[in-house]
Amino acid sequence: MAETLLELDNFSVTYPGQKDPAVDDVYLTLAAGEKLGLVGESGCGKSTLGRAMLRLLPRNTDLRGRVWFKGESVLDFTPRRLREFRGEAVALVFQDPMTRLNPLMTIGDHCIETLRAHRPEISAAAAKDRAIEVLEKVNITANRFGQYPHEFSGGMRQRVAIALAMILEPDLIVADEPTTSLDVTVSAQILDELTRLCDDLGTALILISHDLALVAEYCDRVAVMYQGEKVEEGKALEVLQRPQHPYTQSLVDSARQLQQAAGFVYTPPDPATEPTPLLRLTDVQKHYTLEASPIARLLGKEQPKVIKAVDGVDLEIYPGEIVGLVGESGCGKSTLSRTILQLIQPTAGQVMFDGTDLTTLSTQAMRRQRRQLQMVFQDPHACLNPMMTVGQGIADPLIIHGLATPAEAEAQVREMLARVSLIPVDDYMHRLPGDLSGGQQQRVAIARALITKPKLVICDEPVSMLDATVQTQVLDLMLALKQDFNLTYLFITHDLWVARFMCDRIAVMQGGKIVELAPTQELFTNPQHPYTQTLLQAAPMLASA
């Protein structure tokens, strides 16, 4: 039996100024080389637990109990021993790699700095050789050594983050939601490489995730957290196929509800009634030009490079439809959505909305149109002002568009809060976004988007950051609101099970183009394009009991 690498004993974490602990009396062990999944809803304490192991929490955070690593007490480490411990013994991979990457440093410099900070005796040449070797293990070729983070896609940046975590060959990696913002194919590649490297080096892994299917596929054991406590633990397949705790059962049931949903039976518009699309895109293009350096232009050695983010998209969406848009990171999904809203101007093509070509409108006319076109973002922080109360934030669009007096706006906000199940309303009206959970923040964002009674709502990954139970609650809410307000959705997601649960039809994007468009059931049962087939094969499935 493998030796115990990490042991938490009666471990509790209480943040400064808080009465209740974020992590409460947790006992947990991890063997050398073992892979442990840590799952639970947003705010349950799983990320706090991961950071507390490395003592990466705000100063004056109250840590109680014991954390043993290879028989040493982590809570008693001196600052110098703690610096050695982080990176050499334990490394952390964040959800957003840009929190780890300095935009002013090349990828190679990141690797060399990390290596020489812990091993100052190594020469510059040896450090570079080691850096290239580790980058190549995560499929980043040597010719990209001198490039900067912004020149990499999201998936490639996450590969760099993994290389930085592995470069010192630590005993343990804590990966905190490392694939949440990535599509299924890239997620599978990232986790395949991470677990392969762990196996090669005998490195243990703690995978913090809300994706139960991923945990089942890649982890030996799973620990379930709820309201700061560990409520269930065991072999991954046993816990996820035969959950014992009511909360674990609700998580698994929610995940299966999404994955086993039959999907909508699509009824095409009746040609006899001459249906008019609410939104019609015709040959929409958005190209970016990267200029060559002045010296290269003078020497005639380098020509400007054109990036075709959106490359000739045709799409029609009819009133009352939910059309899904799926594809890998960097395929053009979000660029297309922003082009529809005219937040960025298309290079060419036509965007017809409710009979009006949006590309021809003045700035003032487009601003008037936006009350009919709203957006729900992946991260509610992108649209919620942290200094405005929930009531003020939802009322803001009504005031901006001159649709209501302050008194009328407050009445409409109260009605909308009740509609998105943020009740009692008085408890939420005067709270700030930072006082809410992730699911509650997304409900506020949805309320804000719907307060102007739009005809089309563009949803850009609206549930990708939420756990399975909150995902299903928010999706059910969006379906109910669709009926109540006669909404039409363009639903952008990398989660194919969410797309099947929500959408009438699905468009698959690759390389700026729509490569397949079909009714949802048809796409899942008989995909035509090779890329669609690859996406479906890569989507992790939670096995039935």
Side-chain angles (χ1 to χ4, degrees):
M1 187 174 177
E3 65 176 330
T4 299
L5 178 70
L6 175 74
E7 181 178 359
L8 308 182
D9 187 12
N10 296 327
F11 188 55
S12 299
V13 179
T14 305
Y15 286 107
Q18 299 294 315
K19 292 182 179 179
D20 298 324
V23 171
D24 190 15
D25 199 22
V26 168
Y27 177 79
L28 194 66
T29 63
L30 183 71
E34 188 181 20
K35 300 179 186 69
L36 173 71
L38 199 57
V39 303
E41 64 187 0
S42 173
C44 71
K46 55 187 188 296
S47 292
T48 293
L49 189 61
R51 284 164 170 73
M53 297 174 195
L54 280 74
R55 287 175 55 186
L56 286 174
L57 295 176
R59 191 183 298 273
N60 298 326
T61 300
D62 184 18
L63 304 178
R64 299 194 179 188
R66 307 298 293 175
V67 180
W68 300 98
F69 189 86
K70 284 188 163 182
E72 292 184 272
S73 174
V74 175
L75 302 187
D76 295 326
F77 281 170
T78 64
R80 179 176 179 178
R81 178 68 184 96
L82 197 57
R83 283 194 298 271
E84 295 171 349
F85 173 70
R86 297 172 183 157
E88 293 181 33
V90 181
L92 184 61
V93 178
F94 294 94
Q95 176 178 341
D96 181 1
M98 288 306 289
T99 60
R100 172 70 175 84
L101 300 176
N102 184 333
L104 301 179
M105 290 176 63
T106 67
I107 296 304
D109 285 342
H110 276 90
C111 295
I112 290 173
E113 180 188 65
T114 301
L115 195 59
R116 299 194 76 184
H118 289 269
R119 298 176 184 167
E121 72 282 359
I122 193 171
S123 68
K128 182 175 181 179
D129 289 343
R130 170 63 179 158
I132 290 173
E133 176 191 353
V134 174
L135 287 171
E136 286 181 341
K137 284 184 178 179
V138 294
N139 293 322
I140 296 177
T141 54
N143 62 346
R144 306 202 67 173
F145 189 81
Q147 291 184 312
Y148 290 85
H150 73 271
E151 298 178 88
F152 288 72
S153 69
M156 293 294 281
R157 286 198 288 260
Q158 197 60 288
R159 292 171 192 267
V160 173
I162 291 171
L164 290 170
M166 301 297 299
I167 199 165
L168 294 167
E169 300 185 354
D171 298 301
L172 170 63
I173 287 182
V174 179
D176 191 355
E177 301 278 12
T179 61
T180 293
S181 58
L182 305 176
D183 63 275
V184 289
T185 50
V186 177
S187 293
Q189 293 166 11
I190 294 295
L191 286 172
D192 283 345
E193 286 164 8
L194 178 58
T195 52
R196 174 181 54 80
L197 289 170
C198 286
D199 289 339
D200 290 347
L201 297 173
T203 300
L205 173 68
I206 295 178
L207 177 61
I208 300 171
S209 178
H210 64 256
D211 191 324
L212 300 185
L214 279 183
V215 169
E217 186 170 345
Y218 290 99
C219 295
D220 307 311
R221 285 192 303 129
V222 62
V224 182
M225 292 197 66
Y226 178 62
Q227 295 185 347
E229 298 181 359
K230 186 190 74 176
V231 295
E232 190 162 352
E233 180 185 2
K235 292 182 179 179
L237 291 179
E238 287 185 7
V239 170
L240 298 178
Q241 289 184 10
R242 291 178 292 278
Q244 301 299 309
H245 191 275
Y247 174 67
T248 314
Q249 291 169 355
S250 70
L251 270 184
V252 173
D253 288 346
S254 297
R256 287 193 181 131
Q257 180 185 342
L258 278 180
Q259 295 191 349
Q260 295 173 4
F264 288 94
V265 177
Y266 177 62
T267 304
D270 183 0
T273 62
E274 297 184 3
T276 301
L278 177 63
L279 179 72
R280 176 184 281 136
L281 310 180
T282 306
D283 193 29
V284 173
Q285 302 173 23
K286 181 58 186 177
H287 298 172
Y288 295 95
T289 302
L290 298 180
E291 296 291 344
S293 68
I295 295 175
R297 286 203 303 270
L298 285 173
L299 297 176
K301 291 185 176 181
E302 189 177 339
Q303 297 299 318
K305 182 181 179 182
V306 176
I307 297 176
K308 298 179 179 181
V310 176
D311 191 19
V313 166
D314 296 321
L315 181 65
E316 293 182 347
I317 301 178
Y318 291 88
E321 254 196 318
I322 303 178
V323 173
L325 190 61
V326 304
E328 66 188 358
S329 173
C331 73
K333 304 188 299 292
S334 294
T335 300
L336 180 62
S337 71
R338 283 156 176 76
T339 303
I340 293 169
L341 291 167
Q342 302 298 295
L343 297 175
I344 54 178
Q345 295 297 310
T347 305
Q350 192 178 57
V351 180
M352 295 294 296
F353 173 73
D354 204 18
T356 301
D357 184 357
L358 301 183
T359 65
T360 65
L361 297 183
S362 66
T363 302
Q364 188 174 10
M366 188 62 221
R367 187 177 295 119
R368 289 195 295 269
Q369 274 283 3
R370 286 212 177 98
R371 62 164 291 190
Q372 303 291 355
L373 286 153
Q374 289 294 317
M375 192 161 187
V376 178
F377 295 90
Q378 174 180 0
D379 183 356
H381 286 295
C383 66
L384 301 180
N385 186 330
M387 303 304 293
M388 295 175 73
T389 66
V390 165
Q392 291 169 336
I394 297 174
D396 201 36
L398 292 174
I399 305 301
I400 290 172
H401 290 285
L403 300 175
T405 64
E408 292 169 340
E410 181 176 345
Q412 291 183 42
V413 168
R414 287 179 173 275
E415 182 181 341
M416 186 61 73
L417 281 172
R419 190 63 200 83
V420 298
S421 300
L422 289 177
I423 49 182
V425 168
D426 286 333
D427 286 356
Y428 289 94
M429 277 289 289
H430 306 293
R431 294 170 70 176
L432 294 172
D435 297 329
L436 307 180
S437 70
Q440 290 169 338
Q441 288 177 358
Q442 198 59 286
R443 289 172 186 267
V444 173
I446 291 169
R448 178 183 165 89
L450 298 186
I451 197 71
T452 61
K453 297 181 172 61
K455 292 182 178 178
L456 175 68
V457 180
I458 298 176
C459 308
D460 193 355
E461 303 278 10
V463 296
S464 68
M465 298 176 69
L466 307 175
D467 67 271
T469 47
V470 180
Q471 271 192 357
T472 53
Q473 292 168 10
V474 171
L475 293 175
D476 285 339
L477 170 66
M478 294 179 76
L479 289 173
L481 293 172
K482 173 187 179 297
Q483 299 298 322
D484 291 352
F485 295 97
N486 193 27
L487 298 172
T488 303
Y489 288 135
L490 174 60
F491 198 92
I492 301 170
T493 181
H494 64 255
D495 190 324
L496 295 176
W497 308 120
V498 167
R500 187 174 69 167
F501 182 85
M502 283 290 292
C503 301
D504 302 297
R505 292 187 296 149
I506 296 177
V508 181
M509 270 192 94
Q510 184 186 34
K513 299 177 182 290
I514 290 180
V515 297
E516 187 165 358
L517 172 64
T520 298
Q521 284 189 329
E522 183 180 320
L523 188 91
F524 272 79
T525 57
N526 189 27
Q528 299 298 304
H529 195 275
Y531 176 65
T532 309
Q533 295 167 2
T534 300
L535 279 180
L536 291 171
Q537 290 166 3
M541 187 76 179
L542 190 62
S544 299

